[in-house]
Amino acid sequence: MAKNQPASTLEKLRNIGVIAHIDAGKTTVTEKMLYYSQFVHKVGMVDAGTTVTDYDPEERERGITINAACVTFDWNGYVINLIDTPGHVDFTAEVERSLRILDGGVVVFSAREGVEAQSETVWRQADKYHVPRIAFINKMDREGADFYSVVDDIESRLNAKPVVVAIPVGAGPPHLPGAFRGTIDLIEMKQLTFDSKSQGQEFTVEEIEESMQEQAALYREKLLDDLTLFSDEMTEILLSGEDPPVELIRKVLRNATLSDMCVPVFCGSALDGVGVQPVMDGVCYYLPAPNDLPPIEGVDPNNPEKKESRKSSENEPFCALIFKIETHAHGDMFFLRVYSGKLNANSRVYNPREKQKENVPQIWRIQADHKSLVDSVSAGDICGVIGLRFSVTGDTLCDVKNPILLESITFPDTVVSMAIEPESSEEHKKLKAALESMRRQDPTFQASINEETGQTLVSGMGELHLEIVKHRLLRDYKLNVRVREPRVSYRETIQNVAEVWGGGARTLAGVKHFAEINLKIEPIEDVNQPVVLLNTNDEEFLPEYQQIVLDALQEEAQGGGLLGFPLICAKLTILGGRFVVNETDEVALRFAVADAYHKALEEAKIVLYEPIMRQEIQTPDEYVGDVVGDINQRRGIVVQTHNRGQFTVVEAQTPLANLFGYSSTLLSLTKGRASCSMELAKYGPAPDEVLREFTLM
């Protein structure tokens, strides 16, 4: 995406993402950044569907971000590659893959709602990939805005070290006394007042007003005290009674931020154009350049025990990761993060997972939905390429002579599914191709087709996810299909330990087959995939038999439990077997494994697990009783309630099966004044009546 970056200017490149809970203002922050950098000459509005990064028709209709979008702009001599990510939990995969390849993040919080459920999720994702970040507390112009409460939330709920570098002057909308009217830069100790006529593009830097001097001095002292934790030089200067220079403050703060030891905190109102430019400066001051980070690590694909690494330098062998795929009329567009070396158009690269060489005929610079051809990209760049045949999301592309395999991207499991039925055999073929295309784009979308009945089951991360899948099939792919209501994706596990023998003698087409397998099954905790082991010293259990049995048992376990749902929290151990020369072959062994597997599940007794969602409902006090009562009727458990400004926050854990259509019910209960977010908390045992429904089917 960025212009070709020679090694000498890598320090002027920033690859960042804007991440947050839904409706915290990410896209508005992004739009203002593009306006102030003169990337656009008119500010787009989310509600009007005119923003640069929300270019998909679904995004513009709904006023939310669904797909992570890339844009590049210049700011004060720096090149910033920015990815605007979704905030809705159903599209958390977009955040996951963006954070996997980004160097830094701007986390946006609402000054009224504070740290919300999805805020915690994206924060954990950033922690997972060790992404340094700065925080922007947005919507200071909203009624109930409380900057200092949100700072406390960041520390207590996210277990982070917030370092306040800007404080608000006032809070709330213009019609209230003490309304929000600017910010104070605690590093330079100046007050910034933003001009509303220029939408915040023009601002004045002046002395701090008298009413704010005491508060500013207090937080300036706290800022310097916080920085002494990270610098002996800072401590010595303060002990000598001197005022540390601005350059030293920024240097210490930058080093601490890059080491994940603190999070610089800014404030403002993106909608009103207040406080966004200091955040853009903060990106340049405190977030890393590609060469500030440790070399990317991987393994030698020919020897997985051997570690490999690549520095962020054009002089290293080429290495990149595919983090996203978009389908276009002229072919799939593969989004790459280049970690090292240089990639030229019309060159060949190597995919170590597939052990295949790939041609790269074209390289594109991506600007949201606009693209332009470039001749080459180098270390630190984010770009798009077309023409790849074998690669998928999470794959590594590297130099043919110097292969390296990077860690892939992991995505959460799906929790809901729905059936789709094509109206004709012709539609069936089109549906199959459309679903394959969508699956390549979205790794959290799964689809399976019953070739006999023609019924297709598609699975996703939530109701909204599946609703958008349905709309795309009908609108974009113009398919004539019937769609059934979403249903929950359950899991199966076992209750007891069981040991069984399976198999025996069979005669097929006049040929005798014999094998028996001794299998033990037992429950284990916190394992999302069945664990398959072999534990036998039987000399008759030949190595070739062992491999067949292990492969067959792995296939059975991957196929799910007795009800067809994925099997979790179970360990399967092969203890031995009985075999007859000339009668034991692969057919007999596979039959014995399948028989033992099903006998073991029946004897161990299946337990059905259902997804339990963590809900965070923010409601006016007068509706708390109605909200809690409704949760109880849905088999939910209220974990806690607490106040956040003028609202009460109800935290609950509720089975997903009882939450379909919940948003509409909540709006009705509270006359449209409450909001709710949810994410998967855990899987828990489903009631016996739910299990009986499936066993009677």
Side-chain angles (χ1 to χ4, degrees):
M1 282 172 60
K3 301 166 185 175
N4 292 339
Q5 296 290 322
S8 60
T9 62
L10 265 179
E11 64 271 11
K12 294 289 187 179
L13 176 63
R14 299 289 182 271
N15 292 315
I16 66 163
V18 181
I19 55 178
H21 184 92
I22 190 170
D23 285 338
K26 298 175 305 302
T27 301
T28 305
V29 170
T30 300
E31 198 68 21
K32 281 297 197 296
M33 288 182 173
L34 297 179
Y35 178 63
Y36 298 146
S37 66
Q38 300 183 347
F39 179 88
V40 295
H41 300 290
K42 183 180 178 182
V43 179
M45 302 296 291
V46 173
D47 293 339
T50 57
T51 61
V52 171
T53 53
D54 285 352
Y55 54 85
D56 185 273
E58 285 282 349
E59 296 177 313
R60 292 187 165 175
E61 287 174 18
R62 298 173 184 273
I64 62 171
T65 302
I66 296 170
N67 304 299
C70 304
V71 286
T72 300
F73 58 90
D74 297 323
W75 180 251
N76 290 346
Y78 288 78
V79 175
I80 299 177
N81 289 334
L82 182 147
I83 295 184
D84 178 31
T85 64
H88 197 286
V89 66
D90 284 17
F91 311 109
T92 189
E94 290 288 315
V95 185
E96 184 81 24
R97 59 181 166 195
S98 297
L99 287 172
R100 171 67 175 81
I101 58 91
L102 291 172
D103 300 330
V106 178
V107 188
V108 182
F109 299 94
S110 167
R112 190 175 76 168
E113 283 78 18
V115 177
E116 300 175 87
Q118 189 65 6
S119 306
E120 294 188 45
T121 301
V122 299
W123 197 272
R124 288 197 302 269
Q125 288 172 306
D127 282 341
K128 174 181 174 182
Y129 295 114
H130 304 289
V131 177
R133 66 217 83 148
I134 61 178
F136 178 57
I137 298 178
N138 190 26
K139 301 188 178 182
M140 284 302 307
D141 61 323
R142 297 284 295 276
E143 192 169 344
D146 189 339
F147 172 81
Y148 303 101
S149 175
V150 180
V151 173
D152 291 341
D153 264 4
I154 293 173
E155 186 164 18
S156 60
R157 294 188 62 176
L158 303 178
N159 195 29
K161 175 63 177 173
V163 175
V164 175
V165 296
I167 61 172
V169 181
H175 66 272
L176 293 179
F180 180 59
R181 55 192 183 278
T183 65
I184 294 175
D185 180 348
L186 296 176
I187 295 178
E188 298 198 0
M189 285 301 278
K190 295 291 183 181
Q191 184 166 323
L192 309 182
T193 303
F194 295 79
D195 174 41
S196 59
K197 291 181 181 178
S198 65
Q199 301 189 68
Q201 187 164 33
E202 303 293 332
F203 61 93
T204 58
V205 180
E206 51 202 1
E207 297 303 318
I208 300 169
E209 63 184 67
E210 188 176 345
S211 64
M212 289 298 299
Q213 286 180 2
E214 185 177 344
Q215 183 81 339
L218 177 67
Y219 272 83
R220 161 79 171 192
E221 184 179 352
K222 187 177 188 314
L223 165 66
L224 298 179
D225 283 346
D226 287 339
L227 295 184
T228 60
L229 298 173
F230 316 123
S231 167
D232 291 339
E233 184 182 357
M234 180 71 72
T235 304
E236 291 172 6
I237 290 175
L238 290 176
L239 288 176
S240 68
E242 297 178 25
D243 199 33
V246 169
E247 293 75 17
L248 177 62
I249 295 174
R250 289 194 175 129
K251 176 185 174 184
V252 173
L253 190 53
R254 174 181 174 79
N255 291 339
T257 303
L258 298 190
S259 301
D260 283 342
M261 293 191 290
C262 76
V263 180
V265 180
F266 298 81
C267 63
S269 168
L271 188 62
D272 291 340
V274 179
V276 176
Q277 291 99 323
V279 175
M280 298 168 73
D281 290 337
V283 167
C284 303
Y285 286 138
Y286 309 123
L287 293 183
N291 55 353
D292 285 323
L293 299 173
I296 188 73
E297 294 187 346
V299 298
D300 182 341
N302 301 315
N303 180 11
E305 299 298 319
K306 182 183 176 184
K307 301 291 184 183
E308 294 280 350
S309 66
R310 298 284 187 271
K311 295 178 183 177
S312 186
S313 167
E314 190 177 314
N315 300 322
E316 291 271 302
F318 169 72
C319 162
L321 185 77
I322 299 171
F323 68 95
K324 182 180 172 72
I325 300 173
E326 279 186 1
T327 299
H328 297 280
H330 59 272
D332 289 350
M333 175 73 74
F334 296 78
F335 287 66
L336 303 184
R337 163 63 197 266
V338 181
Y339 285 103
S340 64
K342 187 175 183 179
L343 176 65
N344 296 312
N346 298 310
S347 61
R348 284 169 71 81
V349 295
Y350 182 62
N351 182 329
R353 183 187 63 83
E354 284 287 339
K355 295 181 170 57
Q356 295 278 358
K357 293 179 181 178
E358 293 269 31
N359 291 320
V360 181
Q362 296 179 341
I363 304 173
W364 297 81
R365 179 178 299 143
I366 313 294
Q367 297 285 24
D369 58 339
H370 299 291
K371 302 164 183 66
S372 58
L373 281 170
V374 294
D375 294 329
S376 66
V377 288
S378 56
D381 270 324
I382 297 174
C383 67
V385 302
I386 64 169
L388 305 184
R389 296 177 55 201
F390 308 103
S391 303
V392 297
T393 300
D395 276 359
T396 304
L397 297 180
C398 59
D399 183 75
V400 176
K401 296 179 181 178
N402 298 277
I404 183 174
L405 180 62
L406 303 178
E407 181 184 358
S408 189
I409 309 172
T410 56
F411 297 101
D413 293 331
T414 58
V415 294
V416 294
S417 57
M418 67 180 179
I420 298 177
E421 297 173 358
E423 296 285 0
S424 65
S425 58
E426 184 65 28
E427 291 292 309
H428 176 76
K429 294 177 183 176
K430 292 181 182 177
L431 176 63
K432 189 173 182 180
L435 293 177
E436 176 59 25
S437 172
M438 294 172 72
R439 188 191 63 78
R440 283 170 63 79
Q441 294 184 69
D442 183 358
T444 60
F445 171 73
Q446 302 294 328
S448 58
I449 300 178
N450 186 317
E451 298 293 346
E452 295 180 2
T453 66
Q455 188 182 62
T456 299
L457 199 66
V458 296
S459 303
M461 299 303 298
E463 273 188 286
L464 180 59
H465 191 185
L466 292 187
E467 188 178 332
I468 287 169
V469 166
K470 178 180 73 174
H471 285 185
R472 289 197 63 196
L473 290 173
L474 298 175
R475 185 189 62 205
D476 297 351
Y477 294 94
K478 297 179 173 55
L479 291 171
N480 187 13
V481 294
R482 293 192 302 272
V483 179
R484 302 197 180 278
E485 290 297 312
R487 69 178 193 180
V488 172
S489 294
Y490 292 93
R491 300 288 186 267
E492 293 180 54
T493 188
I494 53 169
Q495 190 171 340
N496 306 313
V497 178
E499 185 179 327
V500 300
W501 283 87
R506 302 177 79 199
T507 301
L508 299 173
V511 178
K512 288 184 178 181
H513 302 271
F514 176 85
E516 290 183 340
I517 294 296
N518 185 200
L519 178 65
K520 180 180 180 181
I521 190 169
E522 55 192 313
I524 55 176
E525 293 184 357
D526 300 327
V527 177
N528 291 327
Q529 297 287 339
V531 177
V532 175
L533 303 171
L534 187 142
N535 184 13
T536 179
N537 295 318
D538 188 350
E539 293 183 359
E540 292 185 15
F541 207 148
L542 302 177
E544 55 266 35
Y545 293 172
Q546 293 179 13
Q547 192 58 53
I548 292 170
V549 168
L550 279 171
D551 290 346
L553 185 56
Q554 193 75 51
E555 290 171 15
E556 290 286 342
Q558 292 298 326
L562 294 179
L563 305 177
F565 296 111
L567 183 67
I568 63 171
C569 301
K571 182 167 79 170
L572 300 146
T573 308
I574 300 160
L575 300 177
R578 300 189 185 109
F579 316 100
V580 173
V581 178
N582 298 327
E583 293 184 13
T584 297
D585 57 9
E586 184 170 351
V587 172
L589 290 169
R590 286 186 171 274
F591 168 73
V593 167
D595 188 45
Y597 178 71
H598 288 89
K599 283 180 178 176
L601 289 177
E602 288 174 356
E603 192 167 319
K605 292 188 179 179
I606 284 292
V607 178
L608 195 65
Y609 268 45
E610 63 181 350
I612 308 294
M613 306 303 289
R614 177 191 170 201
Q615 290 180 281
E616 188 174 279
I617 304 147
Q618 187 164 280
T619 176
D621 292 348
E622 60 263 37
Y623 301 113
V624 170
D626 293 334
V627 169
V628 170
D630 183 65
I631 290 170
N632 291 335
Q633 289 181 359
R634 297 171 185 270
R635 293 196 287 119
I637 297 172
V638 175
V639 178
Q640 66 171 343
T641 62
H642 56 87
N643 292 326
R644 182 181 290 159
Q646 299 173 341
F647 290 82
T648 297
V649 176
V650 179
E651 294 184 20
Q653 292 190 350
T654 309
L656 177 62
N658 296 327
L659 287 175
F660 291 120
Y662 180 74
S663 297
S664 300
T665 302
L666 181 65
L667 291 175
S668 176
L669 279 175
T670 62
K671 298 181 180 178
R673 296 181 62 194
S675 62
C676 175
S677 62
M678 64 180 77
E679 63 175 344
L680 180 64
K682 61 181 180 180
Y683 277 86
D688 291 341
E689 57 265 27
V690 177
L691 179 59
R692 280 196 294 271
E693 286 180 21
F694 289 104
T695 54
L696 293 174
M697 289 173 67

